[in-house]
Amino acid sequence: MLIEYGLRNFLSFKDGVTVSFRLDANAPDSVSQGRNFATLMCVKGANGSGKTHLLKGLAFIADFAVRSFAREPEDEILVDPFYGDTGPSEFFVEFGVGTNSYRYEIALSRKGVQYEALYRTQVKRVKLFERSGDVLKNCTTAYAALKTMKLRGNASVVSTARQYEVKGLEPVIKFFSNIVSNVGYEGHRERTFLHIDSVSKMCYKNPEALNFAVDFIRTCDIGISNIKIEEQDIPGEEAKRYTPYFFHIVDNVEIPIRPSTESNGTKQLFRSLFAYQLVLATGGVLVLDEFDVYLHPHILPKLVAFFAEPEKNPKGAQLLFTTHSLEIIDYSGRYRTYLVNKDENVSFAFRLDEIPGDILRNDRSIIPAYREGRIRGVPRL
């Protein structure tokens, strides 16, 4: 589970910001569902406030932690500090795996990693390793094998250990690998995130995922009776093509419709539901920027419910998302909503339960206070 993460000197966030999924005794039972961490977190704010940047921070560090060694040795690290600041961008992630909790820290620039460390807490916190530049130090006895690796300036210790097949970091690698996101270096990856061709191939090979998508799409009452994937040969190539057909019942006859003539909303659901099923099955983290694109507002609570309701989410998977939907803010409530604001081009964020006084209460709608700008997070028009 993701406990919290933070970043500093990254894109529009000059100063430190932390996104916490921790829940204390003040959180209502309807929110906590018996857990001490939130399984969903909504991020709200005006256009250009920094919402996507906040999600990018988690997506970036998850990708860098486990995949950075796959890049070429001479490649720059694609990380941007606050408006050309010359200092390093800093990140941390705290997460739980089984009965252990971990804290991963890293500071880096485009030129290379300056600092990296991993801590584990069982009974007490222990530093498993520490890195300064390309020098690894302070390794515990159990992780001494890490010292046999040759570090690269543009690759993390975790990713390098994965490449060298050094044992011991499997829980960390698994956690970061199970973070799925639709944001990348250039922002929202609308075209590349789970492209319909690749989703069709994965659904063809994973009938459970296809059934998950079909069952949900049927509940949205958009005329779909079934979805079938057809495997086709590509002339002159060994690879196969996987084409989805969306079936509609017309005069008691099922008519197949190709993706080119299906609605954007249906195609968006089909593409994204594979990610939902994958994360729910692994207990991972799904990070979605503008997750409501092309979707009717009434569908959004149904998607969020996959994570909010324990019977649908037995492995404690988590959803971190941005949306411009107003209604969803009452669903997520004070303990599961962050507002992002910007002053003089510097972004900052806070969770709604951090607001003092009785502007917000558990028994009141948040929407009026948000719409009126009393808690900020709205554009200045």
Side-chain angles (χ1 to χ4, degrees):
M1 66 174 172
L2 174 61
I3 300 171
E4 65 180 28
Y5 75 95
L7 50 95
R8 191 188 73 81
N9 192 27
F10 177 70
L11 296 171
S12 60
F13 286 92
K14 178 181 181 181
D15 304 313
V17 63
T18 297
V19 176
S20 178
F21 285 72
R22 286 189 170 94
L23 296 176
D24 58 25
N26 293 319
D29 292 341
S30 59
V31 170
S32 65
Q33 300 284 352
R35 292 174 167 139
N36 61 1
F37 66 96
T39 52
L40 65 97
M41 194 63 66
C42 174
V43 177
K44 296 281 293 177
N47 285 340
S49 61
K51 301 186 302 298
T52 300
H53 292 174
L54 193 63
L55 269 58
K56 268 189 180 183
L58 180 60
F60 167 79
I61 200 60
D63 179 74
F64 188 82
V66 295
R67 300 181 184 91
S68 51
F69 195 91
R71 298 175 176 88
E72 296 298 324
E74 64 274 8
D75 286 350
E76 281 190 331
I77 299 173
L78 295 180
V79 61
D80 290 320
F82 176 80
Y83 288 99
D85 189 294
T86 58
S89 298
E90 301 174 11
F91 305 86
F92 79 86
V93 184
E94 291 193 16
F95 55 97
V97 179
T99 59
N100 298 329
S101 63
Y102 295 85
R103 180 182 173 96
Y104 179 71
E105 300 176 354
I106 193 165
L108 41 71
S109 68
R110 281 185 167 255
K111 294 181 179 180
V113 177
Q114 297 185 17
Y115 175 83
E116 187 178 3
L118 179 67
Y119 301 82
R120 182 183 63 205
T121 300
Q122 293 174 318
V123 177
K124 63 178 182 178
R125 176 174 286 189
V126 176
K127 183 185 290 184
L128 302 181
F129 70 78
E130 181 180 6
R131 169 189 189 172
S132 179
D134 290 344
V135 178
L136 197 59
K137 56 184 181 180
N138 295 334
C139 290
T140 62
T141 302
Y143 290 83
L146 295 175
K147 292 184 177 181
T148 64
M149 306 185 312
K150 182 179 180 180
L151 297 183
R152 277 184 8 204
N154 67 348
S156 71
V157 170
V158 176
S159 179
T160 306
R162 186 186 191 188
Q163 178 69 23
Y164 276 73
E165 298 183 349
V166 175
K167 305 299 182 182
L169 293 179
E170 291 84 357
V172 178
I173 293 170
K174 182 178 180 181
F175 170 77
F176 283 122
S177 297
N178 286 340
I179 296 178
V180 178
S181 176
N182 72 342
V183 287
Y185 175 69
E186 296 183 349
H188 193 274
R189 296 187 288 127
E190 173 66 25
R191 294 183 179 179
T192 58
F193 174 67
L194 294 178
H195 190 278
I196 196 166
D197 293 342
S198 58
V199 168
S200 299
K201 178 179 179 178
M202 291 184 285
C203 284
Y204 183 87
K205 297 180 180 297
N206 185 352
E208 185 178 353
L210 179 59
N211 292 336
F212 178 86
V214 173
D215 289 344
F216 183 83
I217 289 174
R218 281 174 178 161
T219 68
C220 297
D221 192 22
I222 50 178
I224 302 290
S225 61
N226 201 1
I227 301 173
K228 296 180 181 179
I229 312 295
E230 183 176 302
E231 184 183 58
Q232 302 163 328
D233 292 323
I234 302 176
E237 297 184 23
E238 294 183 6
K240 303 283 187 178
R241 178 185 294 117
Y242 298 86
T243 303
Y245 289 89
F246 301 83
F247 286 80
H248 297 252
I249 297 178
V250 180
D251 294 331
N252 296 320
V253 177
E254 277 197 326
I255 306 296
I257 301 296
R258 294 178 65 89
S260 58
T261 55
E262 192 53 79
S263 73
N264 284 331
T266 299
K267 288 186 286 189
Q268 173 74 358
L269 275 175
F270 175 69
R271 290 205 313 269
S272 62
L273 284 169
F274 182 87
Y276 282 80
Q277 193 273 338
L278 173 66
V279 169
L280 289 166
T282 60
V285 182
L286 183 58
V287 182
L288 295 181
D289 187 31
E290 297 183 358
F291 93 126
D292 52 342
V293 173
Y294 302 128
L295 301 180
H296 191 280
H298 290 179
I299 295 177
L300 309 188
K302 289 179 173 289
L303 292 170
V304 173
F306 282 128
F307 297 85
E309 300 175 11
E311 62 274 14
K312 296 179 180 178
N313 185 16
K315 295 187 177 180
Q318 293 165 289
L319 173 66
L320 173 65
F321 65 97
T322 69
T323 176
H324 287 295
S325 168
L326 266 182
E327 289 76 8
I328 208 71
I329 200 171
D330 276 343
Y331 188 104
S332 54
R334 298 167 59 204
Y335 298 90
R336 300 182 297 190
T337 303
Y338 269 84
L339 277 191
V340 181
N341 290 282
K342 182 182 283 187
D343 285 339
E344 298 182 355
N345 284 315
V346 178
S347 296
F348 62 95
F350 55 88
R351 209 167 76 176
L352 293 189
D353 62 317
E354 298 174 26
I355 298 176
D358 62 352
I359 295 177
L360 302 179
R361 286 174 32 180
N362 293 336
D363 59 349
R364 291 178 184 169
S365 170
I366 298 172
I367 293 175
Y370 178 76
R371 183 182 283 125
E372 295 165 11
R374 288 190 284 150
I375 57 175
R376 303 192 63 178
V378 293
R380 300 171 182 172
L381 302 177

